[in-house]
Amino acid sequence: MFRCVAYTESLKEEWDRLALSRGTIFHTIAFRQILIDSFGYKCRYHAVVDSGNRICALLPLVEGRNLGLKKAGMALPFVNYMDICAADEEAFNYSLECLVRIKDEHRLGYIELRLKEQKLESPDWSLNLHNHTFVLPLEEDEEKVLALSTSSNRNHVRKAYKNNWFEASFDPGHLERFYKVYVRRMKQLGSPSPDIRYFKRFFELLPDNSHLLTVIDRQTGDVVGGMLLLTSPGDGTLFYPYGANLTEYNNKYLNNFMYWEAVRFGIRSGLKRLDLGRSQTGSGTYKYKGQWGAKPEQLKYLVYGGGSEGAGAPDKESLSFFINLWKAAPAFITNEAGKRLIKYLMP
């Protein structure tokens, strides 16, 4: 009844129609192009089609090498989660069989999936439950959304506005200034940053869905924080995949102001929820996001290695030495090295 076919450009229109109606913005072919252009991954996208050649499921997979230079198939790197976009359970189950065949056909060391709503119960797949995403419901009435927050969080939001410290901008012309803040903050956290061209590709290939929120210090005119926001109309979600702020503004509640501006933008855009992104269970960001009244939702990271040992990316604990080294290294080294290194992290 089903067949698995490799992606070709002739499938693009039907692929995107299913992606935008039943999936997310990350399922689209435009995001595939962003990954390939930015990191040089090989495309291993496949579609499940029925006897009438109608697409019933999407298998977005890219091939790259991890830090151990092992070939990996990821669905998808740089995405916190992405359930398999399938028309029904039968197509979903067939998709899982296809992924195993794709791994063998292309001699991949392993395949990794990042699921949220869907379940995959099989002893052949190892399961990592260390991550959650936080989803904040949006309503037309801003005060109802703010009321979900803790009293201290509401107080910090109101203080930031009462003191008029910041201005919010949605001008994409601030991208380079935001990028400098982003690179600086990622280094403090021990993480490399992609080249700015990665961010630019969002605005080139997903112009209707990509929005840059920057926070400007009213006194100095400097960009002191920002977020890349992606609208996903199909599932009514505003995604926040990238963001950063200057920590010296923490005492002025910069983060509270920035998050609240993202909430207001999501409401204005008619979206149903704001996804605040991935956090490790119990981490500082995990606790902070909970203060907004956002509910933690378990992410299920699954790896299929076909019985081979050491399948999957290195865990954070094994990389702790390198994370601390990255924090200590001079910025002129990490800024350039990070652009080349990050594709092997496949975050």
Side-chain angles (χ1 to χ4, degrees):
M1 180 178 178
F2 293 122
R3 289 183 302 119
C4 184
V5 298
Y7 173 78
T8 64
E9 287 299 308
S10 64
L11 297 176
K12 182 179 184 301
E13 184 176 343
E14 189 180 358
W15 179 294
D16 277 346
R17 187 161 52 245
L18 184 59
L20 291 172
S21 63
R22 301 184 69 100
T24 71
I25 196 70
F26 299 110
H27 286 87
T28 63
I29 294 303
F31 187 69
R32 162 188 174 271
Q33 199 62 48
I34 290 171
L35 291 177
I36 292 172
D37 291 350
S38 302
F39 305 108
Y41 297 133
K42 291 182 180 178
C43 173
R44 299 300 182 203
Y45 277 41
H46 288 71
V48 172
V49 299
D50 63 15
S51 56
N53 287 323
R54 291 180 294 269
I55 296 180
C56 300
L58 309 178
L59 297 178
L61 198 73
V62 297
E63 176 190 322
R65 291 188 181 271
N66 68 11
L67 284 176
L69 300 183
K70 181 177 288 188
K71 287 170 65 176
M74 300 283 291
L76 282 168
F78 297 87
V79 178
N80 294 330
Y81 63 86
M82 198 176 69
D83 290 318
I84 294 174
C85 184
D88 52 41
E89 188 174 354
E90 191 176 5
F92 170 75
N93 290 329
Y94 185 81
S95 298
L96 299 177
E97 298 173 16
C98 294
L99 287 171
V100 172
R101 293 201 296 269
I102 292 168
K103 175 198 171 297
D104 294 338
E105 179 183 349
H106 296 286
R107 298 181 180 180
L108 304 176
Y110 62 91
I111 283 178
E112 180 175 322
L113 300 179
R114 299 173 175 182
L115 307 180
K116 182 167 77 90
E117 303 293 342
Q118 294 168 335
K119 293 182 179 179
L120 196 173
E121 296 178 356
S122 168
D124 297 329
W125 293 75
S126 63
L127 177 62
N128 175 341
L129 295 174
H130 296 160
N131 296 290
H132 287 77
T133 194
F134 280 77
V135 178
L136 181 67
L138 302 179
E139 299 188 39
E140 289 185 16
D141 187 339
E142 292 183 4
E143 286 302 314
K144 287 185 178 180
V145 180
L146 189 58
L148 299 173
S149 293
T150 62
S151 58
S152 95
N153 193 61
R154 294 195 300 271
N155 186 42
H156 294 163
V157 169
R158 287 168 178 148
K159 275 189 177 179
Y161 284 91
K162 180 180 178 181
N163 287 282
N164 204 28
W165 285 317
F166 306 115
E167 174 187 350
S169 170
F170 285 87
D171 181 357
H174 291 314
L175 180 60
E176 291 194 10
R177 298 167 74 192
F178 159 73
Y179 181 71
K180 290 178 181 178
V181 173
Y182 180 80
V183 171
R184 176 178 166 181
R185 183 61 184 140
M186 290 303 103
K187 175 173 164 45
Q188 291 172 345
L189 296 171
S191 174
S193 302
D195 192 284
I196 192 173
R197 287 174 290 186
Y198 171 61
F199 294 101
K200 287 181 177 179
R201 292 299 273 162
F202 280 96
F203 295 95
E204 293 164 359
L205 294 175
L206 288 168
D208 296 331
N209 305 91
S210 303
H211 309 272
L212 181 66
L213 162 62
T214 49
V215 180
I216 299 170
D217 182 327
R218 285 187 182 274
Q219 188 172 12
T220 66
D222 295 334
V223 170
V224 295
M227 294 175 162
L228 174 65
L229 299 171
L230 299 177
T231 54
S232 185
D235 64 342
T237 302
L238 178 63
F239 287 99
Y240 158 42
Y242 300 101
N245 65 287
L246 299 181
T247 55
E248 53 264 41
Y249 284 85
N250 285 354
N251 64 338
K252 292 185 175 181
Y253 312 117
L254 167 57
N255 252 351
N256 304 77
F257 178 88
M258 187 165 67
Y259 273 67
W260 184 241
E261 284 295 329
V263 168
R264 297 176 72 187
F265 175 78
I267 293 172
R268 290 197 303 272
S269 302
L271 298 170
K272 299 176 183 177
R273 62 191 69 87
L274 168 61
D275 190 297
L276 296 174
R278 176 177 64 194
S279 292
Q280 282 205 322
T281 308
S283 65
T285 56
Y286 180 100
K287 295 172 184 175
Y288 176 78
K289 292 170 184 176
Q291 294 176 6
W292 285 90
K295 301 301 181 185
E297 297 191 14
Q298 181 73 64
L299 300 183
K300 292 153 282 202
Y301 285 17
L302 294 125
V303 171
Y304 176 78
S308 62
E309 293 190 12
D315 59 40
K316 196 168 183 179
E317 286 187 10
S318 66
L319 296 174
S320 59
F321 171 79
F322 299 100
I323 291 172
N324 291 328
L325 183 63
W326 195 267
K327 293 177 182 178
F332 74 86
I333 294 177
T334 58
N335 288 355
E336 289 305 312
K339 298 172 186 177
R340 295 167 175 79
L341 178 64
I342 193 166
K343 75 174 185 177
Y344 299 104
L345 293 178
M346 293 190 283

